[in-house]
Amino acid sequence: MIVVPSIRTPLAGVVPSLSTADGRASSTRSSLPEAEMTVSVDESAGADIEVRIAGTITDVDVPVLAETLGEAAERGRALILDLSRVTFVAAGVRSVLDATAIRQGRWQQKLSVVLPDGADPSGVSDRVFVYRTLAEARTETDARTDVTAQAADSR
């Protein structure tokens, strides 16, 4: 699990928990005000990396998001960014998503993003896979990972 240091107090709060109902290791949000950006990262062994963001992503938060996604992208595993609980997104987030998708491409992986209800995906790069639910993103990412692994084995 990656815990991102705060630039302002409190910028990101992560409270570890043992596991979720499906047995995956997890982190849960602490009880910070919804106006603040909170980050949780799930790096279960052998699974996709899931980064969950809640609250608002302001211009001040964009560098923290970029650092978190940059570190996750370097793991060489599929990456799912869950923005479904985000209420505001700063303009700089689009370039962070594009840069992360390019980094994922180095590992022949894709960036999957779960958008909040009502969000317009038209401004998101075609390098990024966009989904409406986390379950849909997990299912599609698992399918893409299986195809990539089969292609690597056939070389």
Side-chain angles (χ1 to χ4, degrees):
M1 173 175 55
I2 301 168
V3 178
V4 181
S6 293
I7 293 175
R8 60 187 165 135
T9 308
L11 178 62
V14 178
V15 178
S17 66
L18 296 177
S19 65
T20 59
D22 63 0
R24 296 172 64 130
S26 178
S27 298
T28 54
R29 269 185 344 108
S30 64
S31 59
L32 297 176
E34 202 59 56
E36 300 289 335
M37 182 179 84
T38 57
V39 179
S40 66
V41 179
D42 180 351
E43 289 189 80
S44 301
D48 306 330
I49 298 173
E50 291 181 12
V51 178
R52 293 178 201 89
I53 310 291
T56 61
I57 306 174
T58 64
D59 291 333
V60 173
D61 301 321
V62 171
V64 174
L65 178 64
E67 180 69 24
T68 301
L69 293 178
E71 283 189 31
E74 293 301 319
R75 303 280 193 264
R77 297 184 350 214
L79 177 58
I80 299 173
L81 174 61
D82 182 3
L83 299 176
S84 62
R85 297 181 62 200
V86 171
T87 56
F88 173 81
V89 177
V93 171
R94 287 183 184 173
S95 26
V96 170
L97 295 181
D98 198 37
T100 303
I102 291 169
R103 285 178 124 170
Q104 284 293 95
R106 293 181 192 161
W107 303 102
Q108 297 181 347
Q109 295 290 343
K110 301 289 182 182
L111 171 63
S112 300
V113 177
V114 180
L115 294 179
D117 287 337
D120 182 5
S122 63
V124 178
S125 167
D126 59 352
R127 294 182 183 102
V128 178
F129 287 81
V130 177
Y131 299 98
R132 292 291 172 195
T133 66
L134 184 56
E136 181 186 8
R138 284 177 179 159
T139 301
E140 294 297 321
T141 301
D142 288 344
R144 283 196 320 269
T145 302
D146 291 343
V147 169
T148 302
Q150 289 171 359
D153 289 343
S154 67
R155 291 183 193 169

